[in-house]
Every structure is written in structure tokens, then in C-alpha cells.
Amino acid sequence: MTFRLSTPLRYSQTLTLAALAGVMVAIFIADTVTDYAIAAAVFHTAVILIAARILPPRLVVILAVACVALTVLSFALTRSGSYDVGIVNTGISIVAIGVTTYLSLRLVAAEAAAHESRERLLRMARVTSLGELTASIAHEVNQPLAAAATSAGACRRWLEQEPPAIDKAIRAADRMVEQTERASAVIARVRGLASGKPPQKSAFDFNALVHEIVAMARDQIERHDIHLRLYLQESLPPVMADRIQIGQVVGNLLINAIEAMAVSTGKARELDLIAEVDGPGFVRFRVADKGPGFRPGEADHLFDAFWTTKKDGVGLGLTICRSIVETNGGRIWSQNNEEGGAMFLVSLPAAAETVS
């Protein structure tokens, strides 16, 4: 066991040390004026226990040595009672002081080590949270930024034509503006989600949201030759949730399904998006693909942070989806598609009022 040199005592520690010295003197007097049969020196252990909680280890050792010295001196000054009993009681008191000092210092050292470990874990958790937040933002803004880049390329092609297609170029520029604004909103929402801010809930037309997300993913759907089928129930009640956050969920599930079918071969690339009433007060959204589906045990980890089946995946998309859905009062789960492939289901609370 090693002790570091103590720093200058604080005022409260000085008072404590003075009080303990007074108690030690009182015990010494009581031990001296009584006969050998009364082992009053054992009460020095209480001084050690108090000192170990407040004073530096070096001072605790000094106090323990002082207690032992007072015990021996008291034995030498005592004049009444059995001398043999006094020797035994003095030995017991010295052993008790020594053992108490050793165990108290070990306990304090163990508590300090545990406190240091907790601090280290807390620092690690903060670093991990920062990393998760950074990765989350990078993951979520990838879609709108990719869409903005596509629109920028289209805008340039329309302008380079002879004569330039000004109207089409303007529409492409408008899409760029929309996507960059969406990226900015996504960053704000992810930061709010990470900091525990409540979602900005409002009633919105879920079918309209699905159409918007599908329009943004249209290029990828066509590039991978995917046959998309929309089954959006008419007169679907509006959803009460944060529209931008739910848009992130729909976009993530749609892109995941596209990427799952893009790597599968020999299967029909069919993707179904279904929105329907899910019992009283809820709307259910299903994304059913014809990709490879889930391997055994895979479904148990789909929503775990940084767990992914993709070669270049981050492993945060579904984690964010679950966090968003649950924060908005809903539920998300997955299962194998009976027709082959995977299926993700989201249940969201419906709003009482209607959306115009």
C-alpha cells in the first residue's frame, strides 16, 4: 500500500484533526485512570475510522501510531488492577488499532479506485455519445445531400443544352434548395433527439409523406430496376408525430429495402409500401421487400447500435429509426416476409383531427 504526500489541510480537516486529538486525549485519560481490566484504548479504533474517511492516509497512519503510543503509555502509567490482564488488553487494543487502520485505508483506496473507474467510464460514455451523434448526423444527411447532388447534375445538364432548358433547370435548382433545407432540418432533429428534446408533433397526411419520400428515392428505384407497389389506404387518419423525423424513418426503411434487393440476384425485385389503419388510434406502415431476408439470429440485433450486415454500413439507421418511432409514441419491429425477403413494420399514433 503506498501513500502520497498530502496537500495542505483544509480548514474543516484541521478542525477534524483537532477534535480527534481531543478524543484521543480523553481516551488516554480514561484508559489511565481506570484499572487494567478496562480496555478503554480499544475506542481509539473509532478515531481511526473517522480519520480514514476525512483525512489523508499519511495523517491516518500518524494518528494510528500516536494511538498505539498513547495506549502503551497509558498501560505504563496505570497503577490499579491485574497487571497480566492489562498486558492482554493492551495487546488486544494495539492489534485492533493496527487492523482497523489497515482495513480502513484499504477500503478508502478501493473506494477511490472505484470512483476513478466510474469517472473513466463516464468520460468514455461521453466520447461514445459524441461519436454516435456525429455518425448519426452523417448517416441521416447522406440522403438529402445525395439527392441535392443529383439535382445539381441535372441542373447543369439542362443548362448545357442548346438551347438551355431553363424551366427544367429551375425545377432542378428548386429541388436542390429543398434537399439542402431538409438536410438542415434533419441535423436539427437528430441533435434534438440526442439531447433529449421532445419531438415537434403535429397532425400530417402520412400518405403524402410516403409519396414525397418515394419521389426522392425514385432515381435509386429505377436504377436498380425495382417494381414499386404502393398500397396506401384512402381516408387514412392523419398521424400525430414529428413529420421530419417520421420522414427519416420512412426514407431509411425504403433505402434499406432498395439496397437489400440490389445485392440479391435471381429474385424478382418487388417492393411493397403499405399504409393502413392499425386498430383504433394507430396507423401501420409496412415495407416489404423480396431481398435475401433475415438470417437466423440476425433479427435480434437489427436495432442494436453499430451492428450492421452491410459491408460499408454504419449500423445506426435502424437504431435511429427505433429511437424516433418510440419517441413519437409508436413501435417498430421486423419479421421475415412470407413471400420471401424482409418486412419492417411501424405503428404510429393517429391524430383525432383531420388534415386538409
Side-chain angles (χ1 to χ4, degrees):
M1 188 183 304
T2 59
F3 302 120
R4 292 176 296 182
L5 290 176
S6 60
T7 56
L9 294 180
R10 298 192 300 270
Y11 180 71
S12 60
Q13 289 179 320
T14 303
L15 290 179
T16 302
L17 183 59
L20 292 177
V23 173
M24 290 168 60
V25 171
I27 294 173
F28 168 75
I29 294 173
D31 193 27
T32 304
V33 299
T34 54
D35 59 35
Y36 290 121
I38 299 176
V42 173
F43 289 103
H44 283 302
T45 56
V47 174
I48 300 302
L49 289 173
I50 296 172
R53 308 298 301 182
I54 300 172
L55 299 177
R58 186 165 177 263
L59 272 181
V60 175
V61 173
I62 293 174
L63 282 178
V65 172
C67 290
V68 171
L70 290 174
T71 302
V72 173
L73 180 60
S74 175
F75 172 73
L77 297 177
T78 301
R79 291 291 179 267
S80 60
S82 171
Y83 184 81
D84 293 338
V85 173
I87 291 178
V88 173
N89 285 342
T90 301
I92 292 174
S93 298
I94 292 174
V95 171
I97 293 170
V99 171
T100 302
T101 303
Y102 175 77
L103 293 179
S104 298
L105 293 178
R106 288 295 302 266
L107 178 61
V108 171
E111 290 178 347
H115 178 72
E116 185 177 352
S117 297
R118 287 195 297 271
E119 290 293 320
R120 188 165 56 252
L121 289 173
L122 182 60
R123 290 195 296 272
M124 291 175 62
R126 287 171 179 166
V127 172
T128 302
S129 298
L130 180 60
E132 288 180 355
L133 175 61
T134 304
S136 300
I137 292 176
H139 180 275
E140 293 305 300
V141 300
N142 183 58
Q143 291 178 33
L145 291 182
T150 301
S151 298
C155 181
R156 182 173 182 173
R157 288 194 299 275
W158 295 127
L159 292 175
E160 288 176 347
Q161 281 186 352
E162 289 296 340
I166 300 299
D167 292 342
K168 294 181 178 179
I170 291 176
R171 286 197 292 273
D174 290 340
R175 288 196 297 272
M176 279 190 287
V177 173
E178 292 174 358
Q179 293 304 324
T180 52
E181 290 177 348
R182 179 168 176 260
S184 177
V186 166
I187 291 175
R189 291 296 200 277
V190 172
R191 290 180 60 188
L193 193 68
S195 61
K197 291 182 179 178
Q200 300 178 17
K201 295 183 181 181
S202 62
F204 64 88
D205 186 340
F206 187 78
N207 288 345
L209 175 66
V210 173
H211 281 295
E212 289 179 20
I213 301 300
V214 168
M216 287 190 290
R218 181 61 66 185
D219 288 344
Q220 293 191 53
I221 294 171
E222 294 176 351
R223 189 188 315 148
H224 295 294
D225 195 23
I226 293 173
H227 178 52
L228 175 65
R229 295 178 297 205
L230 296 178
Y231 299 97
L232 308 179
Q233 180 179 327
E234 295 183 359
S235 67
L236 193 69
V239 167
M240 176 59 76
D242 189 312
R243 193 176 191 278
I244 292 178
Q245 289 185 352
I246 299 303
Q248 289 176 246
V249 174
V250 174
N252 270 320
L253 297 181
L254 179 57
I255 296 301
N256 283 349
I258 293 172
E259 292 176 347
M261 288 190 290
V263 298
S264 64
T265 57
K267 291 185 177 180
R269 295 183 174 181
E270 298 175 346
L271 175 60
D272 294 338
L273 303 183
I274 303 129
E276 58 194 352
V277 172
D278 185 23
F282 284 89
V283 169
R284 184 169 57 193
F285 175 59
R286 286 186 283 162
V287 179
D289 64 52
K290 294 292 182 63
F294 305 128
R295 290 186 289 269
E298 203 172 74
D300 297 335
H301 301 284
L302 286 175
F303 297 98
D304 293 347
F306 299 112
W307 191 91
T308 181
T309 58
K310 301 176 185 175
K311 181 180 178 182
D312 300 321
V314 179
L316 282 174
L318 290 176
T319 306
I320 295 171
C321 287
R322 183 176 62 178
S323 178
I324 288 175
V325 170
E326 291 180 352
T327 302
N328 282 275
R331 186 168 70 96
I332 183 171
W333 70 101
S334 63
Q335 62 188 51
N336 276 313
N337 189 355
E338 294 180 355
E339 300 176 359
M343 181 186 295
F344 284 87
L345 303 95
V346 180
S347 181
L348 295 167
E353 68 272 23
T354 58
V355 173
S356 59

